[in-house]
Structure formats: structure tokens, C-alpha cells
Amino acid sequence: MTNIPTDLLRTFVAVVDNRSFTKAANSLGVTQPAVSAQIKRLQSMLGDEIFDRTVPGVSLTPHGEVVINYARRLLSINDQIVHLGGSRRPELVIRIGTSSDFTVTLLPDILASFRARYPAVRFNVSAGYSEPLMRQLRDGEIDVFVGLSNGEPRDAHQVWPAPLVWVRGADVRLEPGETVPLVSYGEPSVYHRAAVSALRAAGLEWEEVYTGPIMASLSGAVAAGLGVMPITRRRAVDGGMIIGDDLPLPALNHAYGGIYVREGGPREIYEQLADEIAATMSRRMPATPLGVAGLFDGKNTAA
């Protein structure tokens, strides 16, 4: 049995009512590519075209005419159920993309404080790599993105340098020119790319001895002596890790932390949340000489 998400039907109705994908996007507070992606997904689930592509503008196929009528009825029933007993739908759901490490540490407290002042706001948080999350931001599928990038971002709402260092286990030693045992999230993480870039530039060989999904597993592998790993200096200090400044390893380029806000929608409240995330972190994490650094850790990388 196939269950069709109501948000796809609501997008479909918006396109038909506005007779335009662009106007529908504006009315829904998302981007036009996001609307197109949702319509494509709906058509895939239905197994047939709902728009007549042979004529200009927005025109329904016979199948689409049937679907729009059922869609209106389903959405009406959905909204009636939501309002039963005088309940009220939340005014706003803010969709946030970030790294798993950051999600587990600072973000919940920040969101709790924000919601205490705005009780009608809810949050939907997803974790992953920056490349797909940045695409989701551009397509209007998430509203705020928090993460690391290898290069200095140009379109972030907030940005700061995050110096990277090598960390090692207590008994790990390397000889000059020795093949470097690397611990990381793997491609395409910021840490992995920074390590590979530095090692390649220095003409050093490396082998990926341990690739893991979460920071706890990676730090455990480093502590056990499996290899070395790049990480933000702040995370290394806070985690009591041994910084490998005494190892014959090349310096790592800085990563950059950033908070990004999507175009469209209630951007003012998105930006307010972004500012509060940055302000809260600056209070809770001491700044380095280069600024508020190393606050975002995890498997993120910019395009």
C-alpha cells in the first residue's frame, strides 16, 4: 500500500490554484525547484502524468483532474482532523540540517530556549554531510543549515574559522616519510578532505586504517593507537585528545564553520534562530585567537 504525503498533495493543489510553479513556490515559502521535485515525486508515486506537457502553462491531464479533486478532499479531511477538539496546528516548523555531533551537544539547548519564547514553533532536525544538506537548503527542503566547510563560504549568514589539528593516541609515533595511518569519516567529510589535501601536498603516502560513522568511534580508534585524525582544535582540547604537533605531519588548512539560511519563507525568524545559535555558542565556547573556532564538528563538507 502506498501512502501519499499530504505535503505533496498540498503542493499539487498550490500549483493548480496559482497556475504557476513559481507562484506556488512563493505561496508555500519554498523554491521553485523544491516544488518541481515534489510534483515529480507525486507523479512517480501515482505512476502517471498529472500535468499535460503538450500545452503551455499549467494544464491537467484527465488523470490529474481526478487526482486534484481527491487531493482537495483529503486535505480538507486532514485539516479537520488536526483541528478536532480546538487543537491548533503549529504556526511554523523550522527544518534544520546539521552534523550529528553538533546535534547531540549544543543544538538541543538552543532550540529549547528558542521555543520557550515561541511556543508555536517546532523543529525537524536532520543530520548528514554538507553537500546533500546544502542542496536541500537551496531546494527549500530545509530552512537552516549548520556545518563545517573546507573553504571559506561566501553565502553563509554567520561564518568563522575553525583551525584543524592532528590528534594521536598516547603510544603513536611516526617516522618522517612513513605511510600515515588515517582515521576519519571518509569521503566526503571535511576532516578527510583536509587530511588528504595536506598529505598529498606534502608528498606523503597514507592508508585509511579506520573509517567510522560517528565521532565517538573515531576518537576511540585514535585513542587505541590505530592511527591519526584531523579534528578542530577546540574539539581536541575539549575531548582531552593528544594533539600531534610532535609528529612529522603537514599543517592542515583551516576549516570554516557556517550557518546558512534559505531564501523565501519567514526568513526573519530563520535568521533570528541562526543569530541565537551563533550567540549561544560564543558564550559557551571560548574563542581562539582566530575567532569562535571549532564549534561545529562532524561529517560535513561544502561543495
Side-chain angles (χ1 to χ4, degrees), residues 41-77:
R41 183 182 171 198
L42 177 61
Q43 290 188 149
S44 176
M45 296 180 73
L46 296 174
D48 198 2
E49 291 285 343
I50 52 179
F51 289 109
D52 188 348
R53 308 293 183 180
T54 65
V55 297
V58 173
S59 180
L60 295 173
T61 63
H63 187 200
E65 294 283 1
V66 174
V67 174
I68 192 65
N69 290 327
Y70 281 123
R72 294 188 194 280
R73 291 165 59 185
L74 281 170
L75 290 173
S76 176
I77 294 171

Side-chain angles (χ1 to χ4, degrees), residues 20-101:
S20 164
F21 278 61
T22 301
K23 291 180 180 178
N26 292 334
S27 70
L28 295 169
V30 299
T31 63
Q32 190 272 332
V35 169
S36 297
Q38 288 190 316
I39 294 299
K40 183 177 180 180
R41 183 182 171 198
L42 177 61
Q43 290 188 149
S44 176
M45 296 180 73
L46 296 174
D48 198 2
E49 291 285 343
I50 52 179
F51 289 109
D52 188 348
R53 308 293 183 180
T54 65
V55 297
V58 173
S59 180
L60 295 173
T61 63
H63 187 200
E65 294 283 1
V66 174
V67 174
I68 192 65
N69 290 327
Y70 281 123
R72 294 188 194 280
R73 291 165 59 185
L74 281 170
L75 290 173
S76 176
I77 294 171
N78 174 83
D79 294 345
Q80 290 177 48
I81 293 174
V82 170
H83 287 87
L84 282 176
S87 62
R88 187 165 58 92
R89 294 181 66 190
E91 295 179 4
L92 179 64
V93 176
I94 301 179
R95 301 160 299 175
I96 304 169
T98 186
S99 76
S100 58
D101 290 317

Side-chain angles (χ1 to χ4, degrees), residues 156-176:
H157 181 70
Q158 298 274 0
V159 63
W160 55 89
L164 300 179
V165 296
W166 295 99
V167 292
R168 63 171 177 83
D171 298 325
V172 170
R173 298 291 184 271
L174 292 176
E175 296 297 327

Side-chain angles (χ1 to χ4, degrees), residues 81-298:
I81 293 174
V82 170
H83 287 87
L84 282 176
S87 62
R88 187 165 58 92
R89 294 181 66 190
E91 295 179 4
L92 179 64
V93 176
I94 301 179
R95 301 160 299 175
I96 304 169
T98 186
S99 76
S100 58
D101 290 317
F102 182 74
T103 303
V104 170
T105 53
L106 295 183
L107 190 56
D109 287 343
I110 298 171
L111 300 185
S113 176
F114 194 82
R115 192 170 188 272
R117 289 181 289 108
Y118 301 100
V121 173
R122 292 192 303 166
F123 305 99
N124 187 325
V125 180
S126 57
Y129 291 107
S130 283
E131 288 176 342
L133 288 174
M134 284 296 290
R135 285 195 296 270
Q136 291 178 40
L137 186 83
R138 289 192 294 267
D139 291 343
E141 296 174 7
I142 59 175
D143 306 306
V144 178
F145 167 59
V146 188
L148 282 177
S149 63
N150 289 109
E152 185 171 3
R154 300 178 181 178
D155 54 352
H157 181 70
Q158 298 274 0
V159 63
W160 55 89
L164 300 179
V165 296
W166 295 99
V167 292
R168 63 171 177 83
D171 298 325
V172 170
R173 298 291 184 271
L174 292 176
E175 296 297 327
E178 180 182 347
T179 297
V180 177
L182 185 61
V183 173
S184 81
Y185 286 112
E187 179 70 20
S189 77
V190 160
Y191 297 144
H192 181 83
R193 288 185 173 178
V196 168
S197 176
L199 294 171
R200 183 176 289 133
L204 294 175
E205 297 291 332
W206 70 92
E207 58 177 338
E208 298 180 23
V209 298
Y210 186 94
T211 301
I214 58 175
M215 180 54 67
S217 69
L218 299 181
S219 58
V222 170
L226 278 172
V228 297
M229 175 178 70
I231 194 172
T232 58
R233 180 176 291 275
R234 175 56 56 194
R235 184 61 183 270
V237 172
D238 289 347
M241 301 178 187
I242 301 174
I243 297 177
D245 289 340
D246 56 338
L247 298 178
L249 292 172
L252 295 157
N253 291 330
H254 288 317
Y256 292 86
I259 307 177
Y260 306 78
V261 178
R262 79 171 176 88
E263 297 293 337
R267 186 177 173 90
E268 183 177 347
I269 195 166
Y270 299 154
E271 291 181 345
Q272 183 177 342
L273 176 60
D275 291 340
E276 293 195 17
I277 291 173
T280 300
M281 290 188 305
S282 67
R283 290 194 299 269
R284 294 180 60 172
M285 293 286 194
T288 71
L290 289 173
V292 184
L295 303 183
F296 295 145
D297 300 297

